[in-house]
Amino acid sequence: MSTAIPEVERLGVCRIGKEADSVVREIAAAIASGAGPSEVRARQMRSEGWEARVAEMQEIVSAALGVRRKAA
């Protein structure tokens, strides 16, 4: 459950509350859906962790350095 922020909305795996009433409704719905994390959601979120972000940044930096070396 999250408030409506683009970073979370784009993932499409989280309940979104846009105002106080909908936040309360979404929390209640999440509780009613059962305890524990969703395996599907967990699998989708693995690529959103810090390890994935660091790997993505390393690729970007390596590519930029490669272009820079070729231009020199």
Side-chain angles (χ1 to χ4, degrees), residues 34-55:
S38 158
E39 182 56 38
V40 171
R41 190 177 311 118
R43 195 170 35 254
Q44 289 174 311
M45 295 306 296
R46 283 192 186 101
S47 66
E48 297 296 326
W50 282 112
E51 294 84 5
R53 293 287 164 240
V54 169

